[in-house]
Amino acid sequence: MEETSYLGGKNNIIDILRKVPFLNPHEEGHLMAILELSKLRKYEKGEIITKEGDYDTWFYIILSGEVSVLKQGKVIARIDSHDGTFGELSVIDGEPRSATVCAATNITCLAVDASFRDRLTPEERLPFDAVYFRLLTEILAHRLRQTTREFSETGRELDALKKSLI
């Protein structure tokens, strides 16, 4: 893995973030707040990014490339820059990673450090949390809609399979 230092003050990266669909509508000030907590990380194909059962405080926004999500060693999903993120659940609930994520291709991610919140004063935390949790809510809403579509399609396929067996 290659990693930059924290990206606070790196205005040139805002244009890259604007290409991420769920980040595009956010104000520049909100994106700058996210950069304060973020590093660019590059992984080579096959590298493990997060490991099932581990604890950490990072969530990831895919800028380029694709990852495989593995549960107990079996690939259960692939995520690319269109779907955008992984690792947000552990950040929200503090539980260990529910799956292993590895680079399916060479990949560049914006790694966002959620532990930063713990170092903020109460006055700083309120405006930061408003932006931060709004972002996480949008990510989860997108993921829930996608899962609902996939579940619905699977139900239709199962019904068609049952009918073909009758």
Side-chain angles (χ1 to χ4, degrees):
M1 169 191 52
E2 289 180 45
E3 177 180 79
T4 66
S5 58
Y6 284 97
L7 299 171
K10 307 272 188 196
N11 296 354
N12 58 326
I13 296 177
I14 294 292
D15 292 335
I16 295 169
L17 296 183
R18 291 263 180 238
K19 294 177 184 173
V20 177
F22 63 85
L23 291 177
N24 190 22
H26 288 273
E27 297 175 16
E28 187 169 321
H30 293 166
L31 295 176
M32 290 303 293
I34 292 167
L35 287 177
E36 291 286 332
L37 314 173
S38 302
K39 297 179 177 189
L40 284 178
R41 289 187 177 169
K42 293 182 180 184
Y43 297 88
E44 291 185 21
K45 181 179 180 178
E47 269 191 275
I48 292 177
I49 301 169
T50 65
K51 189 173 180 184
E52 185 174 355
D54 283 357
Y55 288 89
D56 69 44
T57 59
W58 296 85
F59 83 91
Y60 298 83
I61 299 170
I62 300 171
L63 301 177
S64 67
E66 187 174 310
V67 298
S68 294
V69 180
L70 298 93
K71 183 74 175 166
Q72 299 174 345
K74 182 181 178 198
V75 175
I76 59 169
R78 289 181 69 109
I79 304 171
D80 61 19
S81 59
H82 178 71
D83 296 325
T85 67
F86 60 93
E88 63 277 352
L89 291 180
S90 291
V91 168
I92 292 169
D93 65 12
E95 294 292 317
R97 298 289 183 185
S98 60
T100 295
V101 176
C102 70
T105 64
N106 290 345
I107 184 168
T108 301
C109 299
L110 185 70
V112 183
D113 182 4
S115 71
F116 183 85
R117 287 184 64 250
D118 300 333
R119 297 187 296 274
L120 296 175
T121 66
E123 296 80 25
E124 294 169 325
R125 188 176 285 188
L126 187 60
F128 173 79
D129 279 354
V131 173
Y132 186 65
F133 286 112
R134 169 72 190 255
L135 174 64
L136 291 176
T137 301
E138 289 173 8
I139 291 167
L140 293 175
H142 171 75
R143 189 75 43 86
L144 182 58
R145 286 181 193 279
Q146 180 181 357
T147 301
T148 300
R149 280 191 299 273
E150 290 171 5
F151 183 72
S152 177
E153 180 63 31
T154 301
R156 284 192 294 277
E157 290 171 1
L158 184 58
D159 287 344
L161 183 59
K162 285 179 185 178
K163 287 177 184 178
S164 72
L165 294 175
I166 295 177

